Amino acid sequence: MPTSTLPVYTTLDCTRVSDHVLQVCLNRPEVGNALNTQMAVELLNLWTRLTEDPGKLRCVVFTGAGPKIFCGGGDLKERNGMTPQAWQHQHEIFERLYWAMIDLPLPVVGAINGHAYGGGLEMALCCDFLYASQAARFAFPEVTLGIMPGMGGTQNLPRALGERRAKELTLTGRAFTAQEGLAWGLLNQVVEPDQVLALALETAQRIAANAPLAVRQIKKSIRYGGQMELHTAFRFEVEAYNRLVDTDDRREGVAAFNEKRPAVFKGH
């Protein structure tokens, strides 16, 4: 999908960094990249388009504008004075965008350039894995505002950190550091602030060089298999594997290995 075929978003900056990698940047740095209704509508549109027709794209890098904040969560200034009906209507859009993101067939590499609070941390948790700035902080402060995480936070956090740690963090609302997140298994790697995006892009390029059908089947197998009992998950994995046997990419991969050359995968 050429970047030119995407709409011009007002809250997102989408950049095609190579034939197969798209960089998506939350672009409201003046308000800490806070998630408002417009950003939610645009993210839902983007993830839906990439699901329906990714074109040549094989991987997404997801980050935020500015050096200090990935996403500060929901835009509380926009929400100030909202009626319960308006709040729930907005939240339905939020819910749909989070599901569209987590169901995206393409891998999403999170480049967490700064603080990720509330809905920002929930978006980070929807990424397939995360690299973060050592200066970043993370928190679910919703309980201090009279609400709770409502876009997967109470489900994705315990799956990443374990139930006891997730309860501690969501019930106290306290912030934790990138180093703590790394030690607990939330983050894959913590680096200097100016290295986060470069590391994520390098990883995305490496993923994009692999067989795209295999990449998507692996993502699907890990995600859905992890929600099944083990024997059923094994069967699900085998079904995912069998779909790759009669593909040109599988034939190309074996031929390239035997001919001692790099494989050229085309996604079919």
Side-chain angles (χ1 to χ4, degrees):
M1 173 185 287
T3 309
S4 59
T5 65
L6 293 174
V8 177
Y9 297 118
T10 61
T11 68
L12 306 175
D13 182 13
C14 298
T15 304
R16 187 81 172 251
V17 297
S18 72
D19 285 346
H20 302 309
V21 176
L22 180 69
Q23 179 181 312
V24 177
C25 182
L26 304 176
N27 194 25
R28 300 184 73 215
E30 70 281 358
V31 290
N33 299 318
L35 178 64
N36 65 355
T37 303
Q38 182 65 27
M39 181 183 282
V41 168
E42 292 181 354
L43 282 168
L44 176 59
N45 179 274
L46 173 64
W47 303 137
T48 301
R49 284 173 176 268
L50 293 180
T51 297
E52 292 175 350
D53 182 17
K56 293 183 178 181
L57 290 175
R58 299 180 182 180
C59 195
V60 175
V61 171
F62 190 47
T63 191
K68 295 182 179 180
I69 300 178
F70 167 69
C71 177
D75 190 334
L76 295 182
K77 288 186 177 179
E78 182 185 53
R79 283 179 157 182
N80 189 31
M82 267 190 181
T83 66
Q85 293 76 17
W87 189 298
Q88 289 179 335
H89 174 70
Q90 182 199 54
H91 201 272
E92 287 174 2
I93 301 172
F94 287 6
E95 294 163 24
R96 288 163 57 200
L97 92 83
Y98 278 78
W99 278 115
M101 182 179 181
I102 207 167
D103 284 338
L104 186 69
L106 302 178
V108 181
V109 181
I112 311 305
N113 56 294
H115 303 337
Y117 280 36
L121 179 50
E122 288 181 299
M123 267 196 282
L125 285 164
C126 289
C127 296
D128 290 292
F129 54 89
L130 302 171
Y131 300 132
S133 162
Q134 65 179 13
R137 298 291 183 272
F138 305 84
F140 278 124
E142 285 87 344
V143 72
T144 70
L145 302 171
I147 52 176
M148 62 174 280
M151 275 93 69
T154 64
Q155 305 307 306
N156 288 327
L157 192 67
R159 284 169 168 79
L161 306 182
E163 182 178 321
R164 291 183 181 276
R165 183 72 67 187
K167 285 178 179 177
E168 175 192 15
L169 296 172
T170 54
L171 295 178
T172 63
R174 81 167 181 87
F176 58 95
T177 67
Q179 288 297 337
E180 287 176 309
L182 179 65
W184 296 337
L186 175 70
L187 307 174
N188 291 69
Q189 196 168 337
V190 173
V191 296
E192 295 288 338
D194 60 356
Q195 297 176 3
V196 178
L197 184 58
L199 175 60
L201 289 171
E202 178 186 354
T203 302
Q205 297 286 16
R206 182 165 183 169
I207 292 171
N210 293 326
L213 295 178
V215 167
R216 295 187 191 187
Q217 291 296 85
I218 289 170
K219 174 173 176 173
K220 184 186 299 183
S221 183
I222 291 174
R223 186 194 167 198
Y224 291 105
Q227 301 171 24
M228 303 172 185
E229 58 85 22
L230 189 56
H231 190 266
T232 304
F234 281 152
R235 298 308 308 164
F236 186 89
E237 179 188 74
V238 169
E239 289 302 313
Y241 174 92
N242 285 337
R243 289 178 177 270
L244 300 172
V245 174
D246 189 20
T247 64
D248 290 340
D249 276 357
R250 192 274 302 166
R251 286 183 277 271
E252 164 64 9
V254 174
F257 175 84
N258 284 285
E259 295 166 14
K260 296 181 173 58
R261 61 173 174 82
V264 179
F265 297 114
K266 298 181 179 179
H268 50 73

